[in-house]
Short mmCIF file of all heavy atoms in Angstrom, two decimals:
data_model
loop_
_atom_site.label_atom_id
_atom_site.label_comp_id
_atom_site.label_asym_id
_atom_site.label_seq_id
_atom_site.Cartn_x
_atom_site.Cartn_y
_atom_site.Cartn_z
N HIS K 637 -50.95 68.79 79.52
CA HIS K 637 -49.76 69.61 79.52
C HIS K 637 -48.62 68.91 78.89
O HIS K 637 -48.48 67.73 79.06
CB HIS K 637 -49.47 70.04 80.95
CG HIS K 637 -50.63 70.79 81.56
ND1 HIS K 637 -50.82 72.15 81.26
CD2 HIS K 637 -51.56 70.43 82.48
CE1 HIS K 637 -51.87 72.56 81.98
NE2 HIS K 637 -52.36 71.51 82.73
N ARG K 638 -47.75 69.66 78.26
CA ARG K 638 -46.58 69.10 77.62
C ARG K 638 -45.64 68.43 78.59
O ARG K 638 -45.05 67.40 78.33
CB ARG K 638 -45.83 70.11 76.81
CG ARG K 638 -46.56 70.66 75.65
CD ARG K 638 -45.72 71.61 74.78
NE ARG K 638 -44.69 72.35 75.53
CZ ARG K 638 -44.89 73.57 76.07
NH1 ARG K 638 -46.02 74.19 75.97
NH2 ARG K 638 -43.93 74.19 76.72
N ASN K 639 -45.45 69.13 79.74
CA ASN K 639 -44.51 68.67 80.76
C ASN K 639 -44.86 69.36 82.06
O ASN K 639 -45.80 70.16 82.19
CB ASN K 639 -43.09 68.90 80.36
CG ASN K 639 -42.80 70.37 80.02
OD1 ASN K 639 -43.28 71.22 80.70
ND2 ASN K 639 -42.04 70.60 78.99
N PHE K 640 -44.12 69.00 83.11
CA PHE K 640 -44.34 69.55 84.40
C PHE K 640 -44.22 71.07 84.44
O PHE K 640 -45.03 71.80 85.04
CB PHE K 640 -43.44 68.91 85.47
CG PHE K 640 -43.72 69.40 86.85
CD1 PHE K 640 -44.85 69.09 87.52
CD2 PHE K 640 -42.83 70.28 87.46
CE1 PHE K 640 -45.09 69.51 88.85
CE2 PHE K 640 -43.05 70.78 88.74
CZ PHE K 640 -44.21 70.42 89.40
N ASN K 641 -43.20 71.56 83.74
CA ASN K 641 -42.96 73.02 83.68
C ASN K 641 -44.21 73.81 83.14
O ASN K 641 -44.57 74.87 83.59
CB ASN K 641 -41.68 73.37 82.97
CG ASN K 641 -41.25 74.77 83.21
OD1 ASN K 641 -41.33 75.26 84.35
ND2 ASN K 641 -40.75 75.42 82.19
N ALA K 642 -44.75 73.20 82.02
CA ALA K 642 -45.93 73.85 81.41
C ALA K 642 -47.16 73.81 82.40
O ALA K 642 -47.90 74.74 82.49
CB ALA K 642 -46.25 73.11 80.13
N TYR K 643 -47.20 72.72 83.14
CA TYR K 643 -48.32 72.55 84.13
C TYR K 643 -48.17 73.69 85.19
O TYR K 643 -49.13 74.39 85.50
CB TYR K 643 -48.24 71.22 84.74
CG TYR K 643 -49.20 70.96 85.90
CD1 TYR K 643 -50.55 70.84 85.64
CD2 TYR K 643 -48.77 70.87 87.15
CE1 TYR K 643 -51.43 70.58 86.67
CE2 TYR K 643 -49.61 70.66 88.19
CZ TYR K 643 -50.99 70.53 87.94
OH TYR K 643 -51.84 70.25 88.95
N VAL K 644 -47.00 73.85 85.74
CA VAL K 644 -46.76 74.86 86.75
C VAL K 644 -46.92 76.29 86.23
O VAL K 644 -47.52 77.15 86.90
CB VAL K 644 -45.36 74.68 87.40
CG1 VAL K 644 -44.96 75.80 88.34
CG2 VAL K 644 -45.25 73.38 88.17
N ASN K 645 -46.40 76.49 84.98
CA ASN K 645 -46.60 77.81 84.37
C ASN K 645 -48.07 78.18 84.21
O ASN K 645 -48.41 79.35 84.29
CB ASN K 645 -45.88 77.91 83.07
CG ASN K 645 -44.39 78.16 83.22
OD1 ASN K 645 -43.92 78.44 84.31
ND2 ASN K 645 -43.62 77.98 82.17
N GLY K 646 -48.92 77.23 84.07
CA GLY K 646 -50.40 77.52 83.96
C GLY K 646 -50.87 78.20 85.18
O GLY K 646 -51.62 79.21 85.12
N PHE K 647 -50.47 77.77 86.33
CA PHE K 647 -50.84 78.42 87.61
C PHE K 647 -50.19 79.75 87.75
O PHE K 647 -50.81 80.76 88.23
CB PHE K 647 -50.43 77.52 88.82
CG PHE K 647 -51.21 76.23 88.91
CD1 PHE K 647 -50.62 75.03 88.54
CD2 PHE K 647 -52.58 76.23 89.25
CE1 PHE K 647 -51.36 73.85 88.54
CE2 PHE K 647 -53.32 75.05 89.31
CZ PHE K 647 -52.66 73.85 88.96
N ARG K 648 -48.93 79.85 87.39
CA ARG K 648 -48.25 81.18 87.41
C ARG K 648 -48.91 82.20 86.54
O ARG K 648 -49.01 83.38 86.92
CB ARG K 648 -46.77 80.96 87.03
CG ARG K 648 -45.97 80.14 88.03
CD ARG K 648 -44.58 79.91 87.45
NE ARG K 648 -43.77 79.18 88.42
CZ ARG K 648 -42.63 78.54 88.13
NH1 ARG K 648 -42.25 78.47 86.86
NH2 ARG K 648 -42.00 77.92 89.04
N LEU K 649 -49.23 81.74 85.38
CA LEU K 649 -49.89 82.72 84.45
C LEU K 649 -51.30 83.10 84.96
O LEU K 649 -51.67 84.26 84.72
CB LEU K 649 -49.97 82.07 83.01
CG LEU K 649 -48.66 81.90 82.30
CD1 LEU K 649 -48.78 81.03 81.05
CD2 LEU K 649 -48.05 83.24 82.03
N ASP K 650 -52.05 82.21 85.53
CA ASP K 650 -53.32 82.59 86.10
C ASP K 650 -53.09 83.70 87.16
O ASP K 650 -53.89 84.67 87.20
CB ASP K 650 -53.99 81.37 86.79
CG ASP K 650 -54.51 80.39 85.76
OD1 ASP K 650 -54.67 80.74 84.61
OD2 ASP K 650 -54.84 79.24 86.21
N GLU K 651 -52.07 83.51 88.00
CA GLU K 651 -51.83 84.58 88.99
C GLU K 651 -51.42 85.89 88.35
O GLU K 651 -51.93 86.93 88.78
CB GLU K 651 -50.73 84.03 89.92
CG GLU K 651 -50.39 85.03 91.05
CD GLU K 651 -49.34 84.51 91.96
OE1 GLU K 651 -49.14 83.27 92.10
OE2 GLU K 651 -48.67 85.35 92.58
N ALA K 652 -50.60 85.80 87.30
CA ALA K 652 -50.15 87.02 86.68
C ALA K 652 -51.29 87.74 85.96
O ALA K 652 -51.35 88.95 86.03
CB ALA K 652 -49.06 86.62 85.63
N ARG K 653 -52.19 86.94 85.34
CA ARG K 653 -53.34 87.57 84.61
C ARG K 653 -54.20 88.29 85.60
O ARG K 653 -54.68 89.37 85.38
CB ARG K 653 -54.14 86.51 83.88
CG ARG K 653 -53.57 86.19 82.58
CD ARG K 653 -54.51 85.34 81.68
NE ARG K 653 -54.73 84.06 82.20
CZ ARG K 653 -54.05 82.99 81.83
NH1 ARG K 653 -53.16 83.12 80.92
NH2 ARG K 653 -54.26 81.80 82.37
N ALA K 654 -54.47 87.72 86.79
CA ALA K 654 -55.26 88.34 87.82
C ALA K 654 -54.58 89.66 88.25
O ALA K 654 -55.27 90.62 88.47
CB ALA K 654 -55.42 87.39 89.01
N ALA K 655 -53.32 89.62 88.48
CA ALA K 655 -52.60 90.82 88.92
C ALA K 655 -52.61 91.90 87.88
O ALA K 655 -52.73 93.10 88.14
CB ALA K 655 -51.15 90.50 89.40
N LEU K 656 -52.40 91.47 86.59
CA LEU K 656 -52.32 92.45 85.56
C LEU K 656 -53.69 93.14 85.36
O LEU K 656 -53.79 94.26 84.89
CB LEU K 656 -51.88 91.82 84.24
CG LEU K 656 -50.40 91.47 84.22
CD1 LEU K 656 -50.11 90.58 82.99
CD2 LEU K 656 -49.56 92.70 84.14
N GLY K 657 -54.78 92.46 85.63
CA GLY K 657 -56.10 92.97 85.41
C GLY K 657 -56.65 93.73 86.68
O GLY K 657 -57.78 94.25 86.62
N ASP K 658 -55.88 93.73 87.75
CA ASP K 658 -56.32 94.33 89.00
C ASP K 658 -56.00 95.86 89.02
O ASP K 658 -54.83 96.26 88.96
CB ASP K 658 -55.59 93.71 90.19
CG ASP K 658 -56.02 94.15 91.51
OD1 ASP K 658 -56.80 95.18 91.62
OD2 ASP K 658 -55.60 93.56 92.53
N PRO K 659 -57.00 96.71 89.03
CA PRO K 659 -56.80 98.19 89.05
C PRO K 659 -55.93 98.66 90.19
O PRO K 659 -55.19 99.61 90.07
CB PRO K 659 -58.20 98.76 89.08
CG PRO K 659 -59.11 97.71 88.60
CD PRO K 659 -58.50 96.43 88.99
N ALA K 660 -55.99 97.95 91.34
CA ALA K 660 -55.16 98.30 92.51
C ALA K 660 -53.72 98.10 92.25
O ALA K 660 -52.85 98.66 92.91
CB ALA K 660 -55.63 97.56 93.71
N LYS K 661 -53.36 97.27 91.23
CA LYS K 661 -51.97 96.99 90.95
C LYS K 661 -51.51 97.61 89.67
O LYS K 661 -50.50 97.24 89.00
CB LYS K 661 -51.74 95.46 90.91
CG LYS K 661 -52.02 94.81 92.23
CD LYS K 661 -51.74 93.29 92.22
CE LYS K 661 -52.03 92.74 93.61
NZ LYS K 661 -51.85 91.33 93.60
N ARG K 662 -52.23 98.61 89.24
CA ARG K 662 -51.92 99.36 87.95
C ARG K 662 -50.52 99.86 87.85
O ARG K 662 -49.93 99.79 86.80
CB ARG K 662 -52.97 100.49 87.81
CG ARG K 662 -52.77 101.41 86.59
CD ARG K 662 -53.66 102.56 86.62
NE ARG K 662 -55.08 102.18 86.88
CZ ARG K 662 -55.93 101.98 85.91
NH1 ARG K 662 -55.62 102.03 84.66
NH2 ARG K 662 -57.24 101.66 86.21
N ASP K 663 -49.97 100.33 88.98
CA ASP K 663 -48.63 100.95 88.97
C ASP K 663 -47.53 99.93 89.30
O ASP K 663 -46.36 100.32 89.22
CB ASP K 663 -48.57 102.10 90.00
CG ASP K 663 -49.53 103.23 89.60
OD1 ASP K 663 -49.67 103.49 88.37
OD2 ASP K 663 -50.07 103.89 90.48
N LEU K 664 -47.89 98.68 89.51
CA LEU K 664 -46.85 97.70 89.76
C LEU K 664 -46.23 97.26 88.46
O LEU K 664 -46.94 96.91 87.52
CB LEU K 664 -47.55 96.49 90.41
CG LEU K 664 -46.68 95.47 91.16
CD1 LEU K 664 -45.94 96.16 92.33
CD2 LEU K 664 -47.57 94.36 91.72
N PRO K 665 -44.83 97.26 88.37
CA PRO K 665 -44.22 96.90 87.15
C PRO K 665 -44.52 95.44 86.71
O PRO K 665 -44.72 94.57 87.57
CB PRO K 665 -42.69 97.04 87.47
CG PRO K 665 -42.70 97.96 88.64
CD PRO K 665 -43.95 97.71 89.41
N ILE K 666 -44.57 95.20 85.42
CA ILE K 666 -44.78 93.87 84.94
C ILE K 666 -43.78 92.88 85.43
O ILE K 666 -44.07 91.71 85.73
CB ILE K 666 -44.95 93.87 83.40
CG1 ILE K 666 -46.25 94.59 82.99
CG2 ILE K 666 -45.00 92.44 82.85
CD1 ILE K 666 -46.45 94.87 81.54
N LEU K 667 -42.51 93.34 85.51
CA LEU K 667 -41.44 92.40 85.98
C LEU K 667 -41.74 91.96 87.40
O LEU K 667 -41.52 90.79 87.73
CB LEU K 667 -40.08 93.14 85.96
CG LEU K 667 -38.92 92.38 86.57
CD1 LEU K 667 -38.68 91.05 85.80
CD2 LEU K 667 -37.61 93.21 86.51
N THR K 668 -42.18 92.90 88.26
CA THR K 668 -42.51 92.52 89.64
C THR K 668 -43.66 91.50 89.68
O THR K 668 -43.56 90.53 90.43
CB THR K 668 -42.94 93.78 90.44
OG1 THR K 668 -41.89 94.72 90.39
CG2 THR K 668 -43.28 93.39 91.86
N ILE K 669 -44.64 91.66 88.88
CA ILE K 669 -45.74 90.70 88.77
C ILE K 669 -45.20 89.32 88.31
O ILE K 669 -45.59 88.33 88.86
CB ILE K 669 -46.86 91.22 87.85
CG1 ILE K 669 -47.56 92.41 88.49
CG2 ILE K 669 -47.86 90.15 87.46
CD1 ILE K 669 -48.55 93.16 87.63
N ALA K 670 -44.38 89.34 87.30
CA ALA K 670 -43.80 88.08 86.83
C ALA K 670 -43.00 87.38 87.91
O ALA K 670 -43.15 86.16 88.13
CB ALA K 670 -42.93 88.33 85.60
N LEU K 671 -42.15 88.11 88.62
CA LEU K 671 -41.34 87.51 89.72
C LEU K 671 -42.21 87.01 90.83
O LEU K 671 -41.94 85.94 91.39
CB LEU K 671 -40.32 88.55 90.16
CG LEU K 671 -39.23 88.96 89.13
CD1 LEU K 671 -38.32 90.04 89.72
CD2 LEU K 671 -38.43 87.77 88.61
N ASP K 672 -43.22 87.86 91.20
CA ASP K 672 -44.13 87.38 92.26
C ASP K 672 -44.91 86.17 91.97
O ASP K 672 -45.19 85.34 92.78
CB ASP K 672 -45.09 88.48 92.62
CG ASP K 672 -44.51 89.68 93.38
OD1 ASP K 672 -43.32 89.53 93.82
OD2 ASP K 672 -45.11 90.70 93.54
N ALA K 673 -45.14 85.96 90.64
CA ALA K 673 -45.89 84.79 90.19
C ALA K 673 -45.02 83.55 90.10
O ALA K 673 -45.50 82.42 89.95
CB ALA K 673 -46.53 85.05 88.86
N GLY K 674 -43.71 83.69 90.21
CA GLY K 674 -42.79 82.55 90.24
C GLY K 674 -41.88 82.42 89.07
O GLY K 674 -41.09 81.51 88.99
N PHE K 675 -41.91 83.36 88.09
CA PHE K 675 -40.98 83.29 87.00
C PHE K 675 -39.64 83.84 87.43
O PHE K 675 -39.61 84.76 88.29
CB PHE K 675 -41.57 84.08 85.81
CG PHE K 675 -42.64 83.43 85.13
CD1 PHE K 675 -43.96 83.60 85.48
CD2 PHE K 675 -42.41 82.51 84.07
CE1 PHE K 675 -45.04 82.93 84.84
CE2 PHE K 675 -43.47 81.89 83.39
CZ PHE K 675 -44.76 82.07 83.84
N GLN K 676 -38.59 83.38 86.89
CA GLN K 676 -37.25 83.74 87.25
C GLN K 676 -36.76 84.99 86.51
O GLN K 676 -35.82 85.65 86.96
CB GLN K 676 -36.23 82.62 87.05
CG GLN K 676 -36.56 81.42 87.92
CD GLN K 676 -36.56 81.71 89.42
OE1 GLN K 676 -35.55 82.25 89.89
NE2 GLN K 676 -37.65 81.37 90.10
N SER K 677 -37.27 85.24 85.37
CA SER K 677 -36.90 86.44 84.57
C SER K 677 -38.09 86.84 83.61
O SER K 677 -39.03 86.06 83.42
CB SER K 677 -35.66 86.15 83.78
OG SER K 677 -35.84 85.14 82.86
N ILE K 678 -37.93 87.95 82.99
CA ILE K 678 -38.94 88.52 82.17
C ILE K 678 -39.12 87.80 80.81
O ILE K 678 -40.24 87.66 80.32
CB ILE K 678 -38.80 90.04 81.96
CG1 ILE K 678 -40.04 90.72 81.42
CG2 ILE K 678 -37.60 90.33 81.12
CD1 ILE K 678 -41.13 90.78 82.41
N GLY K 679 -38.01 87.25 80.27
CA GLY K 679 -38.08 86.64 78.91
C GLY K 679 -39.02 85.38 78.91
O GLY K 679 -39.94 85.36 78.09
N PRO K 680 -38.76 84.44 79.78
CA PRO K 680 -39.66 83.27 79.77
C PRO K 680 -41.09 83.66 80.11
O PRO K 680 -41.99 83.01 79.59
CB PRO K 680 -39.03 82.38 80.81
CG PRO K 680 -37.62 82.73 80.89
CD PRO K 680 -37.59 84.20 80.59
N PHE K 681 -41.24 84.64 81.00
CA PHE K 681 -42.58 85.06 81.34
C PHE K 681 -43.31 85.65 80.12
O PHE K 681 -44.45 85.23 79.79
CB PHE K 681 -42.51 86.12 82.43
CG PHE K 681 -43.87 86.84 82.69
CD1 PHE K 681 -44.96 86.10 83.24
CD2 PHE K 681 -44.05 88.14 82.38
CE1 PHE K 681 -46.19 86.69 83.49
CE2 PHE K 681 -45.31 88.74 82.54
CZ PHE K 681 -46.35 88.01 83.07
N ASN K 682 -42.63 86.50 79.36
CA ASN K 682 -43.23 87.10 78.19
C ASN K 682 -43.62 86.03 77.13
O ASN K 682 -44.67 86.08 76.55
CB ASN K 682 -42.32 88.14 77.58
CG ASN K 682 -42.33 89.48 78.34
OD1 ASN K 682 -43.25 89.76 79.04
ND2 ASN K 682 -41.31 90.23 78.17
N ARG K 683 -42.72 85.07 76.95
CA ARG K 683 -42.98 84.05 75.96
C ARG K 683 -44.15 83.15 76.36
O ARG K 683 -45.00 82.84 75.57
CB ARG K 683 -41.71 83.15 75.73
CG ARG K 683 -40.64 83.85 74.94
CD ARG K 683 -39.48 82.97 74.53
NE ARG K 683 -38.73 82.44 75.69
CZ ARG K 683 -37.71 83.16 76.24
NH1 ARG K 683 -37.39 84.36 75.76
NH2 ARG K 683 -37.07 82.67 77.24
N ALA K 684 -44.17 82.75 77.61
CA ALA K 684 -45.26 81.90 78.12
C ALA K 684 -46.57 82.64 78.08
O ALA K 684 -47.65 82.11 77.66
CB ALA K 684 -44.96 81.40 79.54
N PHE K 685 -46.54 83.91 78.49
CA PHE K 685 -47.77 84.70 78.51
C PHE K 685 -48.31 84.88 77.10
O PHE K 685 -49.53 84.69 76.89
CB PHE K 685 -47.49 86.12 79.13
CG PHE K 685 -48.68 86.85 79.51
CD1 PHE K 685 -49.20 86.73 80.82
CD2 PHE K 685 -49.40 87.57 78.64
CE1 PHE K 685 -50.35 87.41 81.23
CE2 PHE K 685 -50.55 88.25 79.00
CZ PHE K 685 -51.01 88.17 80.35
N LYS K 686 -47.47 85.25 76.16
CA LYS K 686 -47.94 85.45 74.75
C LYS K 686 -48.46 84.16 74.14
O LYS K 686 -49.42 84.09 73.41
CB LYS K 686 -46.84 86.08 73.89
CG LYS K 686 -47.33 86.30 72.45
CD LYS K 686 -46.71 87.54 71.95
CE LYS K 686 -47.38 87.89 70.59
NZ LYS K 686 -46.92 89.05 69.98
N ALA K 687 -47.77 83.07 74.45
CA ALA K 687 -48.28 81.73 73.96
C ALA K 687 -49.60 81.38 74.59
O ALA K 687 -50.44 80.79 73.82
CB ALA K 687 -47.20 80.67 74.34
N ALA K 688 -49.82 81.72 75.77
CA ALA K 688 -51.10 81.37 76.41
C ALA K 688 -52.27 82.29 76.06
O ALA K 688 -53.42 81.86 75.98
CB ALA K 688 -50.95 81.38 77.96
N THR K 689 -51.98 83.61 75.83
CA THR K 689 -53.04 84.56 75.59
C THR K 689 -53.02 85.15 74.21
O THR K 689 -54.08 85.76 73.84
CB THR K 689 -52.91 85.73 76.60
OG1 THR K 689 -51.69 86.49 76.34
CG2 THR K 689 -52.89 85.28 78.07
N GLY K 690 -51.94 85.04 73.48
CA GLY K 690 -51.87 85.71 72.17
C GLY K 690 -51.59 87.20 72.26
O GLY K 690 -51.54 87.90 71.23
N ARG K 691 -51.32 87.70 73.46
CA ARG K 691 -51.05 89.14 73.67
C ARG K 691 -49.78 89.21 74.64
O ARG K 691 -49.63 88.28 75.39
CB ARG K 691 -52.23 89.82 74.32
CG ARG K 691 -53.43 89.82 73.38
CD ARG K 691 -54.53 90.63 73.94
NE ARG K 691 -55.03 90.20 75.26
CZ ARG K 691 -56.08 89.42 75.49
NH1 ARG K 691 -56.74 88.94 74.51
NH2 ARG K 691 -56.43 89.09 76.73
N THR K 692 -49.12 90.34 74.55
CA THR K 692 -48.04 90.56 75.51
C THR K 692 -48.64 90.95 76.87
O THR K 692 -49.87 91.40 76.90
CB THR K 692 -47.11 91.68 75.04
OG1 THR K 692 -47.90 92.91 75.02
CG2 THR K 692 -46.53 91.40 73.67
N PRO K 693 -47.91 90.85 77.94
CA PRO K 693 -48.49 91.30 79.22
C PRO K 693 -48.90 92.76 79.22
O PRO K 693 -49.98 93.08 79.81
CB PRO K 693 -47.30 91.07 80.22
CG PRO K 693 -46.48 89.99 79.58
CD PRO K 693 -46.63 90.27 78.09
N GLY K 694 -48.15 93.62 78.53
CA GLY K 694 -48.57 95.01 78.51
C GLY K 694 -49.87 95.21 77.73
O GLY K 694 -50.69 96.04 78.13
N GLU K 695 -50.03 94.54 76.58
CA GLU K 695 -51.28 94.59 75.81
C GLU K 695 -52.43 94.08 76.67
O GLU K 695 -53.51 94.76 76.67
CB GLU K 695 -51.19 93.87 74.54
CG GLU K 695 -50.22 94.41 73.52
CD GLU K 695 -49.93 93.45 72.39
OE1 GLU K 695 -50.16 92.19 72.51
OE2 GLU K 695 -49.36 93.90 71.44
N PHE K 696 -52.25 92.99 77.32
CA PHE K 696 -53.26 92.40 78.18
C PHE K 696 -53.72 93.38 79.28
O PHE K 696 -54.86 93.62 79.48
CB PHE K 696 -52.76 91.08 78.81
CG PHE K 696 -53.73 90.37 79.68
CD1 PHE K 696 -54.66 89.47 79.13
CD2 PHE K 696 -53.78 90.61 81.07
CE1 PHE K 696 -55.56 88.84 79.89
CE2 PHE K 696 -54.67 89.96 81.90
CZ PHE K 696 -55.59 89.04 81.25
N ARG K 697 -52.73 94.02 79.93
CA ARG K 697 -53.03 94.94 81.02
C ARG K 697 -53.83 96.10 80.47
O ARG K 697 -54.79 96.54 81.11
CB ARG K 697 -51.68 95.39 81.67
CG ARG K 697 -51.93 96.43 82.75
CD ARG K 697 -50.62 96.91 83.30
NE ARG K 697 -50.44 96.30 84.63
CZ ARG K 697 -49.40 96.52 85.39
NH1 ARG K 697 -48.41 97.24 84.96
NH2 ARG K 697 -49.33 95.99 86.57
N ARG K 698 -53.39 96.68 79.37
CA ARG K 698 -54.06 97.84 78.83
C ARG K 698 -55.53 97.51 78.46
O ARG K 698 -56.42 98.29 78.73
CB ARG K 698 -53.38 98.37 77.58
CG ARG K 698 -52.16 99.23 77.88
CD ARG K 698 -51.59 99.88 76.63
NE ARG K 698 -50.94 98.94 75.70
CZ ARG K 698 -49.75 98.42 75.85
NH1 ARG K 698 -49.00 98.74 76.88
NH2 ARG K 698 -49.28 97.62 74.99
N GLU K 699 -55.72 96.37 77.87
CA GLU K 699 -57.12 95.94 77.54
C GLU K 699 -57.94 95.74 78.79
O GLU K 699 -59.14 96.19 78.84
CB GLU K 699 -57.06 94.68 76.69
CG GLU K 699 -56.54 94.88 75.34
CD GLU K 699 -56.37 93.51 74.60
OE1 GLU K 699 -56.86 92.52 75.04
OE2 GLU K 699 -55.73 93.60 73.50
N LYS K 700 -57.40 95.07 79.79
CA LYS K 700 -58.19 94.74 81.01
C LYS K 700 -58.50 96.08 81.78
O LYS K 700 -59.58 96.25 82.30
CB LYS K 700 -57.44 93.80 81.93
CG LYS K 700 -57.44 92.42 81.38
CD LYS K 700 -58.81 91.88 81.29
CE LYS K 700 -58.85 90.46 80.76
NZ LYS K 700 -60.16 89.95 80.61
N LEU K 701 -57.52 96.96 81.90
CA LEU K 701 -57.76 98.12 82.69
C LEU K 701 -58.54 99.19 81.95
O LEU K 701 -59.12 100.07 82.56
CB LEU K 701 -56.39 98.74 83.13
CG LEU K 701 -55.60 97.79 84.15
CD1 LEU K 701 -54.28 98.44 84.52
CD2 LEU K 701 -56.40 97.47 85.30
N ALA K 702 -58.58 99.12 80.64
CA ALA K 702 -59.47 100.03 79.86
C ALA K 702 -60.93 99.68 80.12
O ALA K 702 -61.84 100.56 80.05
CB ALA K 702 -59.14 99.93 78.40
N ASP K 703 -61.22 98.43 80.42
CA ASP K 703 -62.54 97.95 80.69
C ASP K 703 -63.06 98.40 82.10
O ASP K 703 -64.23 98.46 82.27
CB ASP K 703 -62.64 96.43 80.61
CG ASP K 703 -62.39 95.93 79.24
OD1 ASP K 703 -62.48 96.68 78.25
OD2 ASP K 703 -62.08 94.73 79.08
N SER K 704 -62.13 98.70 83.00
CA SER K 704 -62.59 99.00 84.38
C SER K 704 -62.64 100.49 84.57
O SER K 704 -62.23 101.31 83.83
CB SER K 704 -61.61 98.41 85.37
OG SER K 704 -60.28 98.91 85.17
#
């Protein structure tokens, strides 16, 4: 990891990916998922998510929920 923040964001992103792929949380706003995972705002969450997955949170959610 580049630094401690990147290390912590890894855990936060794992939690966010699980929530975004959960059909039971389909109607939960992405902002709520980001805040619940520990991000302070949507901008840093979107940047970290896209850097880690190559997709935006919305694209990731659509792909995961289309599979279920």
